Amino acid sequence: MAIAAGEYAIGKQVGRLLVRTTRQGVAARVGHDLLIEATEWEGHVTVPADPATQPTVVSVRVDLGALKILEGTGGVKPLSDGDRQQIQQTMHKLLRVDQHRYATFTSTGVEIHDDSATVEGDLTLVGQTRPLRLDVRQLDDGSVKGAGSVVQSQWGIKPYSGFFGALKLRDAVDIEVTTGLQEIHAPG
């Protein structure tokens, strides 16, 4: 990855952060796979002039109260406004948004390859911090795209289930972030 040394802002102004959920169980056809967008998020990337002496640092903060359901696919009927409202309430309850409004990610190590990078870090979610790995690649337009998977139960979140357990949300949810890098400061 060829990103010039400097400080960069990332977030909703220059990118998108998406969460994808998948259903499972014997009644999976009743539910919906969801595409959810974090509509309020911000972050910071620092790329040092000399990576041998200073690490690349990535930090992100996501407002969990501002998650928006973009679409629900599958299911025996289309996702209604009432369904969206019920899912929104359930998400807030499962994520304990009233007690832990924000999720944060701070890198602990960045390994840069030719056209990609691996970002290891700590994700704090519902008041618990666990390691998370993101696989990142640079796109042709200079933006970056990262992907990872959050296993909810590792953070003490019980994945949603309904119909007496016959419909379940897969424990792992996929996270995808695509963002431009808005330069804040270039090394002097």
Side-chain angles (χ1 to χ4, degrees):
M1 290 182 69
I3 298 173
E7 293 182 43
Y8 301 91
I10 59 175
K12 68 176 186 171
Q13 291 82 3
V14 291
R16 294 183 86 185
L17 194 155
L18 302 172
V19 178
R20 296 178 190 277
T21 68
T22 308
R23 61 211 149 106
Q24 62 184 23
V26 295
R29 66 183 192 88
V30 177
H32 298 88
D33 294 333
L34 300 176
L35 177 62
I36 302 164
E37 182 170 18
T39 61
E40 294 293 331
W41 67 284
E42 61 188 4
H44 189 262
V45 177
T46 302
V47 179
D50 183 4
T53 61
Q54 292 180 311
T56 296
V57 178
V58 179
S59 62
V60 176
R61 184 175 93 147
V62 179
D63 183 345
L64 299 176
L67 297 176
K68 178 182 176 185
I69 300 163
L70 296 181
E71 66 181 42
T73 56
V76 293
K77 63 180 183 79
L79 195 62
S80 70
D81 289 340
D83 294 333
R84 289 175 194 273
Q85 187 175 43
Q86 181 62 42
I87 293 167
Q88 199 80 31
Q89 291 172 351
T90 301
M91 277 192 312
H92 282 205
K93 182 179 174 185
L94 291 173
L95 295 173
R96 295 174 241 157
V97 172
D98 57 332
Q99 298 167 5
H100 306 285
R101 178 88 185 193
Y102 299 96
T104 59
F105 175 82
T106 304
S107 64
T108 56
V110 178
E111 185 178 318
I112 299 174
H113 314 287
D114 292 336
D115 59 352
S116 65
T118 302
V119 179
E120 301 278 349
D122 291 325
L123 174 65
T124 301
L125 184 61
V126 296
Q128 296 191 36
T129 302
R130 301 281 183 270
L132 178 67
R133 174 186 164 158
L134 298 172
D135 295 314
V136 180
R137 63 186 170 88
Q138 192 166 16
L139 303 176
D140 291 340
D141 65 2
S143 63
V144 293
K145 185 173 189 171
S149 185
V150 173
V151 179
Q152 299 173 81
S153 60
Q154 291 179 354
W155 278 265
I157 300 168
K158 183 179 178 192
Y160 172 80
S161 69
F163 297 102
F164 306 102
L167 169 64
K168 299 176 185 176
L169 188 67
R170 187 174 61 111
D171 196 6
V173 296
D174 298 322
I175 297 175
E176 177 184 297
V177 60
T178 305
T179 186
L181 299 169
Q182 186 175 42
E183 191 169 51
I184 299 171
H185 175 69

